Amino acid sequence: MDFGVVLQTTPPASRVVDLTRRAEDYGFTHAWTFDSHVLWQEPFVIYSQMLAATRKIVVGPMVTNPATRDPSVTASLFATLNDMFGNRTICGIGRGDSAVRVGGGRPTTLAALRSAVHLIRELANGRSVDVEGTSLQMPWAARSSLDVWVAAYGPKALDLTGQVGDGFILQLADPDITRWMVARVRAAAEAAGRDPAAVKICVAAPAYVGDDVAHQREQCRWFGGMVGNHVADIVERYGSEGEVPQALTDYVRERKGYDYAQHGRAGNTHAAFVPDEVVDRFCLLGPVEAHVERLLELRGLGVDQFALYLQHDAKDATLAAYGEKVMPLVTQHAGAPA
């Protein structure tokens, strides 16, 4: 199992760069950031510094979207970074949440997302692509290599992920929900004539190591609010009693609205509707042993990468705990004979 870290580009950018450097030293393979240009600083500018300060860690957004960034511009950004730093970028993409909603917009359609995945991947890999009857190609990007991983929750988005994504990003760490979603993505990949095992699976969630679980819950409750934005869309489209697991949809019944000015922040007052049980299921909390147990369970479900959100008051301690204790134990247990 690979490990990634998910950072907000909160000023100063030097702090983001330092956390990326330290993550690489601890053995993390990926450093992801939010991409919400109004709430936080512009990530692609900071990616250059993150890549310049490291040797091999892979960098990219979790997640960008086709609404606030033209896909051809996004492809050029990735291809430029790949040329500068040796193919060390990755594109996580979804329909859009805070980046569009903070200005009163709405997520894009799945059709727009599908088109963006194709266009970004083709252009950023140096290939030609047809855009409304015009053939586009970046001749200087011939040696660029980019994977595009799709973030999804709902059935149709999961199907799209299996059909076109190089990877699947699931932003929660509940094993039961993970099992259902991974199965849906892999079934869609197989139906599309693809190798289901070729679609990488990334679970991303806050992780907080320590014994004071009550405090950890309050620091991570914001995540249930963030996921709730997507779940509310699913409930509106599919209802609360359908093929989507009720473990995912039930808790948004008490959701009364959401303030994007508090998005992704510990202490978010619009996440009060999220019960302790959901925080415990969606996040990784508690002592080292609890993290190792959950991670091994996720690995058994086919998860290739766990990316931990560092949006709480113990960023440094949690990063160190993972690098020095959690990750070595997961590797040790995973390599042990059954």
Side-chain angles (χ1 to χ4, degrees):
M1 176 184 277
D2 287 338
F3 286 88
V5 60
V6 187
L7 307 169
Q8 286 176 346
T9 52
T10 304
S14 58
R15 171 68 164 153
V16 179
V17 174
D18 179 61
L19 286 169
T20 302
R21 184 189 301 112
R22 292 170 55 203
E24 181 177 78
D25 289 343
Y26 280 129
F28 286 80
T29 59
H30 292 69
W32 306 84
T33 75
F34 284 49
D35 178 13
S36 195
H37 59 290
V38 174
L39 296 178
W40 299 287
Q41 290 184 326
E42 168 55 45
F44 280 89
V45 176
I46 301 172
Y47 292 160
S48 280
Q49 296 298 310
M50 294 164 67
L51 290 162
T54 53
R55 303 176 306 281
K56 56 185 179 181
I57 200 166
V58 176
V59 170
M62 187 178 283
V63 294
T64 192
N65 69 85
T68 58
R69 297 187 188 276
D70 179 272
S72 65
V73 176
T74 300
S76 184
L77 287 166
F78 282 113
T80 301
L81 290 169
N82 282 342
D83 181 65
M84 294 171 67
F85 299 104
N87 289 330
R88 290 169 51 207
T89 67
I90 189 168
C91 178
I93 191 168
R95 294 173 57 224
D97 183 32
S98 66
V100 294
R101 283 175 157 146
V102 73
R106 291 186 59 82
T108 63
T109 63
L110 287 176
L113 177 59
R114 181 187 296 272
S115 175
V117 170
H118 174 68
L119 193 151
I120 291 168
R121 182 164 48 215
E122 295 307 294
L123 287 179
N125 282 283
R127 298 187 288 266
S128 64
V129 62
D130 182 82
V131 180
E132 297 181 357
T134 299
S135 179
L136 294 182
Q137 186 172 16
M138 300 185 298
W140 52 268
R143 288 193 274 183
S144 174
S145 178
L146 180 74
D147 282 349
V148 181
W149 292 16
V150 181
Y153 291 103
K156 291 183 179 179
L158 294 168
D159 291 345
L160 181 151
T161 303
Q163 292 159 6
V164 304
D166 296 308
F168 165 46
I169 296 172
L170 171 57
Q171 290 164 305
L172 56 81
D174 179 279
D176 291 335
I177 295 172
T178 299
R179 182 181 294 106
W180 180 81
M181 291 194 173
V182 169
R184 180 94 187 201
V185 168
R186 287 182 168 162
E190 185 172 16
R194 307 179 68 201
D195 177 5
V199 182
K200 297 296 184 181
I201 307 297
C202 174
V203 162
Y208 195 134
V209 180
D211 295 323
D212 189 350
V213 175
H215 175 73
Q216 294 171 23
R217 287 190 186 116
E218 295 313 309
Q219 286 289 304
C220 297
R221 198 176 303 277
W222 64 268
F223 183 68
M226 184 185 82
V227 173
N229 298 328
H230 302 284
V231 175
D233 286 346
I234 293 171
V235 170
E236 181 180 351
R237 180 179 294 268
Y238 298 101
S240 59
E241 296 181 3
E243 55 186 327
V244 179
Q246 286 189 272
L248 180 61
T249 59
D250 278 356
Y251 83 101
V252 298
R253 296 179 192 274
E254 301 302 319
R255 182 177 182 270
K256 303 300 182 183
Y258 192 81
D259 180 3
Y260 276 89
Q262 300 183 50
H263 185 69
R265 304 182 192 278
N268 184 337
T269 58
H270 288 253
F273 72 93
V274 182
D276 289 351
E277 177 192 1
V278 167
V279 181
D280 292 348
R281 293 205 325 263
F282 285 12
C283 306
L284 272 69
L285 310 177
V288 166
E289 296 76 17
H291 291 251
V292 172
E293 181 180 0
R294 177 78 68 85
L295 289 166
L296 290 174
E297 185 175 6
L298 291 170
R299 182 181 180 274
L301 297 175
V303 174
D304 298 290
Q305 179 185 153
F306 175 67
L308 64 97
Y309 281 87
L310 278 183
Q311 279 81 53
H312 50 59
D313 62 2
K315 294 180 179 66
D316 298 281
T318 295
L319 191 66
Y322 261 71
E324 296 171 1
K325 298 177 181 178
V326 176
M327 289 160 56
L329 283 171
V330 170
T331 300
Q332 175 185 326
H333 282 286

